[in-house]
């Protein structure tokens, strides 16, 4: 069976907008411009857990980076990242490539350049000698259109 052996870590809500706080969803289900790109690139998805959803639930209030930036929330992020680390190591051990991360610009948790969950993920992976080369992000627009040639950061 043919496989690309390329894995993309994807913020939970890019594949499932139903976990986004009330009035902030950008699509009915998934963000198709990002999904279409990833599929054309041949990426398999490793969907990250939604740290805000698993920490405060679906009816959580809108919060900022500073409000989430607590020892309790950071600890929660580290705990829910353990299964992700295990999966990434298993892929790498078997000859797969972790191509990068696709996050959400301006998210207090999942912004690849300044999100608490992403900070914890990148630190955990670095401590385990897994380098995230490319950090893509979905723009913070009401109807975001993802463009891989514009919306990325080289780590």
């Amino acid at each position: 069976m043919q496989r690309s052996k390329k894995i993309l870590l994807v913020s939970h809500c890019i594949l499932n907008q139903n976990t986004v706080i009330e009035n902030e969803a950008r699509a009915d289900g998934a963000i198709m411009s990002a999904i279409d790109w990833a599929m054309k690139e041949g990426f398999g998805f490793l969907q990250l857990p939604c740290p805000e959803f698993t920490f405060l639930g679906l009816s959580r209030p809108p919060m900022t980076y500073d409000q989430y930036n607590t020892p309790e929330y950071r600890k929660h992020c580290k705990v829910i990242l353990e299964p992700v680390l295990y999966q990434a190591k298993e892929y790498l051990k078997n000859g797969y490539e972790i191509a990068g991360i696709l996050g959400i610009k301006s998210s207090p948790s999942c912004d690849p350049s300044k999100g608490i969950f992403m900070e914890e993920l990148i630190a955990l992976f670095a401590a385990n000698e897994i380098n995230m080369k490319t950090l893509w992000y979905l723009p913070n627009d009401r109807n975001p259109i993802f463009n891989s040639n514009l919306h990325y950061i080289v780590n």
Side-chain angles (χ1 to χ4, degrees):
M1 173 135 261
Q2 183 179 352
R3 295 181 189 191
S4 71
K5 290 199 165 191
K6 298 187 304 185
I7 303 296
L8 181 67
L9 280 68
V10 182
S11 289
H12 189 92
C13 65
I14 291 175
L15 296 171
N16 180 9
Q17 284 282 286
N18 292 297
T19 58
V20 175
I21 60 173
E22 190 71 29
N23 298 319
E24 290 293 322
R26 298 170 175 104
D28 291 340
I31 305 291
M32 291 310 297
S33 61
I35 304 309
D36 289 343
W37 162 77
M39 291 179 69
K40 286 177 187 166
E41 292 294 317
F43 293 133
F45 301 122
L46 176 48
Q47 184 177 17
L48 298 169
C50 176
E52 296 172 15
F53 179 81
T54 56
F55 190 67
L56 293 174
L58 191 56
S59 298
R60 65 193 178 278
M63 290 173 57
T64 65
Y65 177 94
D66 291 333
Q67 290 171 308
Y68 275 117
N69 192 11
T70 65
E72 297 81 15
Y73 186 65
R74 285 190 178 272
K75 180 181 178 186
H76 173 75
C77 290
K78 290 174 186 173
V79 168
I80 65 173
L81 280 168
E82 285 299 322
V84 174
L85 176 62
Y86 171 82
Q87 291 173 68
K89 284 180 169 181
E90 189 64 20
Y91 280 122
L92 291 169
K93 184 171 72 176
N94 287 282
Y96 286 71
E97 170 195 1
I98 306 294
I101 301 171
L102 176 56
I104 306 281
K105 188 75 171 167
S106 301
S107 164
S109 296
C110 291
D111 184 324
S113 61
K114 187 186 176 187
I116 292 166
F117 185 65
M118 291 296 177
E119 291 170 359
E120 295 297 335
L121 184 153
I122 291 166
L124 178 65
F125 275 39
N128 284 272
E129 300 178 354
I130 303 171
N131 181 30
M132 294 285 98
K133 298 173 204 151
T134 308
L135 310 174
W136 287 279
Y137 58 86
L138 190 69
N140 185 23
D141 295 326
R142 196 74 185 128
N143 296 303
I145 302 298
F146 176 73
N147 182 333
S148 65
N149 296 318
L150 298 175
H151 304 130
Y152 72 94
I153 304 161
V154 176
N155 194 14

